[in-house]
């Protein structure tokens, strides 16, 4: 006897109840906001903390978890948590550590969004940030008070490609901990180096944050962020993330899962291209300065060699003619794209005073080391000869 047909509406909603095909080579996209309980015991098990019961995608999603597991593995860490953007990752991680009255010590050269979060948002919640220059890290123990909860830094820095001496920073934080008798959490934004070139856990950092929009995503087609750390810390951040709601979307997670397959290949090629391009640009008569940690001329080349296993694919140049010269170059490029963001397979250029550091005061630009004639180059995987000739023809236009 044929099974009784259910109504069209029911069939339209439930289909044939086909479950995910086992053995798929790629992780399927669990594009779902909620999950069917086998029966109400599942709800009970969930309420008792059973992690195998899925209930709602703001809390957990298999496509997202797949990427979290892989990113944790890549960092050789216990756990990772994926977010809807790098800023969601950074803000949630910080808000899970600090409370009203606490203080943060940070190096000042930061991605503009992070800096503005520190400057404009955290003080509203009575959390204040004091800054220690990367060249005077020994001041950390002078700046530390009984309220200091967190040390934050970014290295290499956006957009100036400066470095924080990470071993010294951690040693100074440990010294300050002995002074106050209190734990100070440490977070590094590892976006520019990525896990291919820098392993902050081996240096002693507690947590790593990354804008996965950049090298992890690698194709300029998604936004995501990640926090990586111990199971205990990630569990605590996950709790706050549930309330703040900056969870990653399953489709973005699917794209990330695809991106991870070529992560090493892409970033290796980008890094090789960056070194070649930086060397050529250094000799150009219209280029005043080139900042690339792999160049001997970089003021912190020795630090780069100590703490990085490769030098990354971000290059900063300062051209003649100030911001007009920089705009002329960016507008004349044919291969490289004049666009914000970084880390994708296509070479992108941006002028920091018009992008990451827009609307900052002259004093803030000075503190961040940003000048009008700077162009930040996120080197892609194109043929290096094409990139070199593109920059050469554009620089002639100044
Ligand atoms: C170093 C760094 N950290 C964090 C972010 C923020 O990431 P997202 O744009 O994914 O929020 C960016 C963005 O450019 C960045 O460059």
């Amino acid at each position: 006897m044929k099974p009784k047909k259910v109504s069209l509406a029911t069939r339209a909603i439930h289909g044939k109840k086909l479950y995910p095909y086992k053995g798929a080579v790629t992780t399927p996209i669990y594009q779902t906001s909620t999950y069917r309980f086998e029966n109400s015991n599942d709800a009970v098990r969930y309420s008792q903390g059973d992690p195998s019961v899925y209930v709602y995608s703001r809390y957990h999603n298999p496509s997202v978890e797949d990427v979290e597991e892989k990113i944790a593995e890549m960092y050789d860490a216990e756990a990772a948590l994926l977010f809807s953007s790098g800023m969601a990752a950074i803000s949630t991680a910080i808000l899970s550590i600090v409370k009203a009255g606490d203080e943060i010590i940070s190096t000042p050269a930061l991605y503009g969004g992070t800096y503005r979060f520190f400057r404009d948002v955290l003080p509203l919640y009575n959390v204040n940030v004091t800054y220690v220059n990367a060249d005077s890290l020994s001041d950390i123990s002078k700046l530390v008070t009984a309220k200091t909860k967190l040390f934050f830094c970014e290295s290499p820095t956006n957009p100036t490609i400066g470095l924080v001496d990470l071993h010294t920073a951690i040693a100074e934080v440990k010294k300050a901990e002995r002074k106050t008798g209190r734990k100070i959490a440490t977070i590094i934004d590892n976006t520019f180096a990525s896990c291919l070139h820098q392993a902050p856990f081996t240096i002693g950092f507690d947590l790593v944050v990354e804008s996965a929009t950049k090298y992890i995503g690698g194709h300029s087609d998604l936004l995501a962020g990640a926090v990586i750390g111990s199971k205990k810390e990630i569990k605590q951040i996950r709790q706050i993330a549930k309330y703040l709601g900056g969870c990653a979307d399953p489709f973005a997670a699917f794209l990330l899962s695809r991106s991870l397959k070529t992560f090493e290949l892409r970033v290796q090629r980008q890094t090789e291209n960056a070194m070649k391009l930086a060397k050529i640009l250094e000799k150009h008569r219209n280029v005043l300065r080139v900042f690339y940690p792999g160049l001997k001329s970089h003021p912190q080349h020795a630090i780069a060699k100590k703490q990085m296993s490769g030098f990354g694919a971000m290059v900063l140049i300062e051209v003649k003619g100030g911001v007009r010269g920089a705009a002329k170059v960016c507008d004349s490029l044919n291969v490289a794209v004049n666009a914000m963001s970084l880390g994708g397979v296509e070479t992108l250029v941006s002028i920091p005073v018009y992008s990451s550091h827009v609307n900052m005061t002259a004093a803030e630009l000075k503190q961040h080391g940003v000048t009008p004639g700077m162009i930040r180059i996120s080197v892609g995987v194109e043929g290096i000869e094409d990139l070199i000739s593109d920059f050469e023809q554009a620089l002639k236009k100044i």
Side-chain angles (χ1 to χ4, degrees), residues 331-337 390 393-394:
D331 293 345
S332 306
L333 289 163
N334 299 317
V335 177
V337 183
D390 195 29
Q393 65 78 24

Side-chain angles (χ1 to χ4, degrees), residues 15-37:
K16 276 174 137 182
K17 291 221 168 75
L18 284 179
Y19 294 108
Y21 177 66
K22 289 203 174 57
V25 171
T26 57
T27 309
I29 314 175
Y30 286 83
Q31 191 73 40
T32 184
S33 58
T34 191
Y35 302 83
R36 184 177 60 89
F37 290 140

Side-chain angles (χ1 to χ4, degrees), residues 85-87 90 111 154 158 189 191-192 211 213-214 223-224 342:
S85 70
M87 281 314 298
I90 292 169
Y111 163 61
E154 186 179 304
N158 183 359
D189 183 333
T191 301
F192 271 34
S211 167
T213 312
K214 318 301 181 191
L223 285 170
L342 61 112

